[in-house]
PDB file of all heavy atoms in Angstrom:
ATOM      1  N   LEU B  39     103.463 105.735  81.072  1.00 85.00           N
ATOM      2  CA  LEU B  39     104.039 106.299  82.292  1.00 85.00           C
ATOM      3  C   LEU B  39     104.700 107.646  82.024  1.00 85.00           C
ATOM      4  O   LEU B  39     105.572 107.764  81.163  1.00 85.00           O
ATOM      5  CB  LEU B  39     105.059 105.314  82.871  1.00 85.00           C
ATOM      6  CG  LEU B  39     105.600 105.663  84.253  1.00 85.00           C
ATOM      7  CD1 LEU B  39     104.482 105.652  85.282  1.00 85.00           C
ATOM      8  CD2 LEU B  39     106.704 104.688  84.654  1.00 85.00           C
ATOM      9  N   GLN B  50      80.644 108.127  68.117  1.00 89.00           N
ATOM     10  CA  GLN B  50      79.618 109.177  68.219  1.00 89.00           C
ATOM     11  C   GLN B  50      78.313 108.604  67.710  1.00 89.00           C
ATOM     12  O   GLN B  50      78.156 108.374  66.506  1.00 89.00           O
ATOM     13  CB  GLN B  50      80.020 110.417  67.432  1.00 89.00           C
ATOM     14  CG  GLN B  50      78.933 111.478  67.342  1.00 89.00           C
ATOM     15  CD  GLN B  50      78.522 112.036  68.686  1.00 89.00           C
ATOM     16  OE1 GLN B  50      79.327 112.539  69.446  1.00 89.00           O
ATOM     17  NE2 GLN B  50      77.247 111.914  69.008  1.00 89.00           N
ATOM     18  N   ASP B  63      96.847  96.786  64.385  1.00 95.00           N
ATOM     19  CA  ASP B  63      95.636  95.982  64.171  1.00 95.00           C
ATOM     20  C   ASP B  63      95.389  95.010  65.313  1.00 95.00           C
ATOM     21  O   ASP B  63      94.406  94.269  65.295  1.00 95.00           O
ATOM     22  CB  ASP B  63      95.684  95.254  62.818  1.00 95.00           C
ATOM     23  CG  ASP B  63      96.871  94.321  62.691  1.00 95.00           C
ATOM     24  OD1 ASP B  63      97.593  94.126  63.697  1.00 95.00           O
ATOM     25  OD2 ASP B  63      97.088  93.806  61.590  1.00 95.00           O
ATOM     26  N   GLY B  71      74.970  98.851  71.428  1.00 80.00           N
ATOM     27  CA  GLY B  71      73.743  99.553  71.786  1.00 80.00           C
ATOM     28  C   GLY B  71      73.953 101.008  72.138  1.00 80.00           C
ATOM     29  O   GLY B  71      73.138 101.613  72.842  1.00 80.00           O
ATOM     30  N   GLU B  85     105.006  96.844  75.435  1.00 95.00           N
ATOM     31  CA  GLU B  85     104.801  98.264  75.170  1.00 95.00           C
ATOM     32  C   GLU B  85     103.330  98.683  75.262  1.00 95.00           C
ATOM     33  O   GLU B  85     103.017  99.871  75.198  1.00 95.00           O
ATOM     34  CB  GLU B  85     105.351  98.664  73.795  1.00 95.00           C
ATOM     35  CG  GLU B  85     104.720  97.958  72.623  1.00 95.00           C
ATOM     36  CD  GLU B  85     105.526  96.762  72.155  1.00 95.00           C
ATOM     37  OE1 GLU B  85     106.251  96.161  72.980  1.00 95.00           O
ATOM     38  OE2 GLU B  85     105.429  96.437  70.949  1.00 95.00           O
ATOM     39  N   VAL B  89      98.002 103.137  81.240  1.00 96.00           N
ATOM     40  CA  VAL B  89      96.654 103.331  81.780  1.00 96.00           C
ATOM     41  C   VAL B  89      95.739 103.652  80.605  1.00 96.00           C
ATOM     42  O   VAL B  89      96.035 104.556  79.806  1.00 96.00           O
ATOM     43  CB  VAL B  89      96.614 104.470  82.815  1.00 96.00           C
ATOM     44  CG1 VAL B  89      95.175 104.736  83.259  1.00 96.00           C
ATOM     45  CG2 VAL B  89      97.491 104.126  84.014  1.00 96.00           C
ATOM     46  N   GLY B 102      82.612 119.006  77.840  1.00 76.00           N
ATOM     47  CA  GLY B 102      81.724 118.138  78.607  1.00 76.00           C
ATOM     48  C   GLY B 102      82.294 116.757  78.842  1.00 76.00           C
ATOM     49  O   GLY B 102      81.607 115.867  79.316  1.00 76.00           O
TER      50      GLY B 102
END
Side-chain angles (χ1 to χ4, degrees):
Chain B
L39 189 63
Q50 173 62 56
D63 59 7
E85 61 263 27
V89 175

